[in-house]
Amino acid sequence: QVKLVESGGGSVQAGESLRLSCAPSGRALSSLVMAWFRQAPGQEREFVAGVSRSGHNTVYADSVKGRYTISKDNAVNTMYLEMNGLKPEDTALYSCAAHQSFSTLQVSTRGYAYTFWGQGTQVTVSS
């Protein structure tokens, strides 16, 4: 079983930055496809960003392209989401997700593809 431990959420002003972290216990980061999803109150969960097993392929939702950067640091077994230029519409509960894959480059944007989920960390952006 893989447990995903998230950290880094908080409350910021529009235009500021935050970095979220997600560390999988019980499994090497290099064996996992990792992603962030978010869910705002009253809305459906949506894909934010994902990174392949190798770390060489990244995928972003159009709403965060150019502002968010997802990355892996295998040396410390941690995945990061750097969020810059935050907007009030980025306010949501952000959840880390992971699944195993034979492919080193595949990244799924569908929630059902992910086996393991963190509890979520709240990001609140005020105007």
Side-chain angles (χ1 to χ4, degrees):
Q1 188 69 14
V2 176
K3 183 178 178 183
L4 301 178
V5 181
E6 301 140 325
S7 61
S11 297
V12 296
Q13 297 287 318
E16 294 184 342
S17 300
L18 279 174
R19 187 176 76 163
L20 306 183
S21 301
C22 177
S25 63
R27 199 68 53 90
L29 196 66
S30 58
S31 69
L32 299 169
V33 179
M34 306 285 293
W36 289 95
F37 289 78
R38 68 185 182 186
Q39 186 168 22
Q43 297 186 22
E44 293 188 354
R45 184 178 63 194
E46 64 173 349
F47 172 82
V48 176
V51 57
S52 64
R53 272 184 53 201
S54 67
H56 294 152
N57 187 28
T58 56
V59 179
Y60 296 92
D62 288 344
S63 58
V64 305
K65 258 178 207 175
R67 300 188 297 122
Y68 288 16
T69 303
I70 190 169
S71 61
K72 281 183 166 184
D73 187 340
N74 289 338
V76 294
N77 212 49
T78 301
M79 184 261 288
Y80 301 101
L81 183 68
E82 189 75 39
M83 304 184 294
N84 299 314
L86 282 162
K87 305 175 181 180
E89 52 263 43
D90 293 320
T91 295
L93 182 70
Y94 284 69
S95 297
C96 174
H99 73 87
Q100 291 181 283
S101 175
F102 290 110
S103 169
T104 58
L105 293 175
Q106 177 258 345
V107 178
S108 178
T109 62
R110 305 289 185 173
Y112 59 71
Y114 291 83
T115 311
F116 309 108
W117 291 83
Q119 290 188 325
T121 184
Q122 180 67 34
V123 171
T124 302
V125 185
S126 54
S127 57

